[in-house]
Amino acid sequence: MEMTKKRKKTRNRSGLQVVTLCISTAMVLILLGMVVFSVLSARNLSNYVKENLTITVLLGEDMTTPEARLLCKELAKRPYIHHMNFISKEDALKEQSKVMGTDPSEFAGFNPFVGSVELQLKSEYANSDSIGWISKQLKKNPQVTDITYPQELMDSVNSNLQKINLVLLVLAVLLTFVSFSLINNTVKLGVYARRFSIHTMKLVGASWGFIRRPFIRRGVLVGILAGIVACAVLAGGIYVLYTYEPQVLTVITWDVMLITGVSVLLFGIIISTLCSWLSVNKFLRMKAGDLYKI
C-alpha cells in the first residue's frame, strides 16, 4: 500500500511538473511567436504599401486611345509592373466634371485633359533609384510627356519600414536569448528534483544515453504541448483581430500564419529538448558530494 501511494505521489508530482513546464514554456513561445508574426506581417505590410504607391504617366495630347492601349500592352510585359490602369482623355474629363460639378470643356471649347496611365510597381522596384531608371526608360517614348510620383512619401515609407524591420529583428534576437534562458531554467528545475535518481541510475551501471532518454522524451512532449497551446493562443488573437478589422487579411496571409505556427512548434520542441539534454548532462557529470551542495 505504501509503495502504491508513493508511486501515485511521484506520478502526480511528475504530472504537475510537466503541466507547469508546459505553461511556462507556452508563455515564452507566445511572446516569441508574436515577434515572428510581427516580422512577417511587417514584411507583407511593406510590400502592400509599396505596391499601392501610384506613378502617373502623362500621355501626349495627340495620342489616340488605340495607341495608348498598345502602349499599355507593351508596359504590361515589363518585369517591374504590378498593376496598371489606363485613363483616357474622355474618362479624365468625366471624373473631373464630377469633382468640379461642371464640364470644363464647355468653357474651354475642347477637352483640356490628356490621357494617363497609373502604374503600381512591384515592391522591390518601389524606391527612388529604380523609379529614376524606369522614368528614363518610359520617357524615351515621345508620346510620354511627364511622369509624376510621390517621391517624399515613398522615401518616408521606405525609411520608416527599414527602421521598423531593424527594431523587430533586434527584438527577435534578444527575445530568443531570453526565451532560451527562461525555458532552460524551468527545465533545469524539473531535472534538479530528480538529480538523486540520476545519480542512483549511474551507480547501478546505466549508460548516459539510457538515463537521458526519459528526460529527452519528456522535453519533446513538453515542447509539442507548449507549442500547440501557444499556437492556439496566437490563432485566437488573430481571429479577434480579424473580427475587429477583416482587411488585416491583406497583410496577415495564410503563409504568415503557417510559418509562425511551424516556427513556434519547432522552437518549442528544439529548445525544450536541448535544455533537457544540457541539464541532465550537468548532473551526470557531478559527483555524489556535489549534489548536496546545490
Side-chain angles (χ1 to χ4, degrees):
M1 290 294 292
E2 290 184 6
M3 289 294 294
T4 304
K5 289 181 179 179
K6 286 182 180 180
R7 286 177 182 174
K8 286 183 178 180
K9 286 183 179 180
T10 303
R11 288 176 183 175
N12 292 336
R13 190 182 306 160
S14 178
L16 184 61
Q17 286 178 353
V18 171
V19 172
T20 304
L21 187 56
C22 283
I23 294 173
S24 303
T25 306
M27 291 176 67
V28 176
L29 291 178
I30 289 170
L31 293 175
L32 188 68
M34 289 174 65
V35 174
V36 174
F37 173 78
S38 299
V39 170
L40 296 174
S41 298
R43 184 195 63 183
N44 283 353
L45 178 61
S46 171
N47 293 339
Y48 177 79
V49 171
K50 289 179 180 179
E51 290 177 352
N52 279 275
L53 293 172
T54 301
I55 298 174
T56 303
V57 180
L58 299 177
L59 305 176
E61 293 182 6
D62 57 343
M63 191 173 194
T64 62
T65 299
E67 290 175 338
R69 295 193 183 280
L70 284 174
L71 175 63
C72 290
K73 286 184 179 180
E74 182 190 343
L75 290 175
K77 298 176 183 178
R78 304 201 177 180
Y80 47 79
I81 300 297
H82 173 67
H83 181 72
M84 183 171 50
N85 181 37
F86 168 62
I87 301 174
S88 65
K89 296 165 62 174
E90 293 76 17
D91 291 338
L93 178 61
K94 290 178 183 178
E95 186 177 339
Q96 291 301 319
S97 297
K98 287 181 181 179
V99 173
M100 299 171 64
T102 184
D103 188 349
S105 63
E106 293 180 358
F107 301 97
F110 63 93
N111 186 350
F113 300 103
V114 296
S116 62
V117 181
E118 293 182 344
L119 304 177
Q120 279 87 40
L121 304 180
K122 293 181 180 179
S123 58
E124 57 266 30
Y125 293 97
N127 55 73
S128 298
D129 294 337
S130 296
I131 291 176
W133 168 73
I134 292 169
S135 297
K136 288 180 181 179
Q137 276 197 333
L138 294 176
K139 285 180 178 178
K140 289 179 181 179
N141 189 320
Q143 293 291 353
V144 175
T145 58
D146 195 14
I147 296 173
T148 61
Y149 61 93
Q151 182 172 358
E152 291 185 4
L153 176 61
M154 190 171 294
D155 292 340
S156 176
V157 166
N158 286 324
S159 176
N160 290 333
L161 289 174
Q162 285 178 358
K163 292 176 182 177
I164 291 172
N165 288 333
L166 181 61
V167 170
L168 289 175
L169 181 61
V170 172
L171 185 60
V173 173
L174 291 176
L175 189 57
T176 301
F177 284 111
V178 172
S179 301
F180 182 82
S181 300
L182 291 174
I183 295 175
N184 185 45
N185 289 336
T186 306
V187 171
K188 194 180 291 183
L189 287 174
V191 178
Y192 172 81
R194 299 181 62 185
R195 64 192 186 281
F196 292 111
S197 298
I198 293 172
H199 182 68
T200 301
M201 286 189 286
K202 191 169 64 170
L203 288 177
V204 297
S207 66
W208 284 25
F210 179 83
I211 297 172
R212 275 196 298 257
R213 195 171 298 127
F215 294 96
I216 298 298
R217 193 181 298 120
R218 189 176 74 166
V220 173
L221 176 63
V222 167
I224 293 173
L225 293 176
I228 292 173
V229 171
C231 288
V233 173
L234 291 170
I238 293 172
Y239 178 75
V240 171
L241 191 61
Y242 168 74
T243 56
Y244 179 74
E245 181 54 66
Q247 292 298 321
V248 297
L249 290 183
T250 57
V251 175
I252 305 172
T253 60
W254 285 106
D255 290 344
V256 170
M257 290 185 274
L258 180 62
I259 293 172
T260 301
V262 171
S263 299
V264 168
L265 195 59
L266 285 178
F267 186 83
I269 294 172
I270 291 171
I271 199 170
S272 296
T273 305
L274 180 61
C275 291
S276 298
W277 188 82
L278 293 174
S279 298
V280 174
N281 279 356
K282 176 185 176 182
F283 291 109
L284 284 172
R285 293 190 187 97
M286 296 178 69
K287 296 179 180 180
D290 297 331
L291 295 175
Y292 294 94
K293 298 177 183 178
I294 57 174

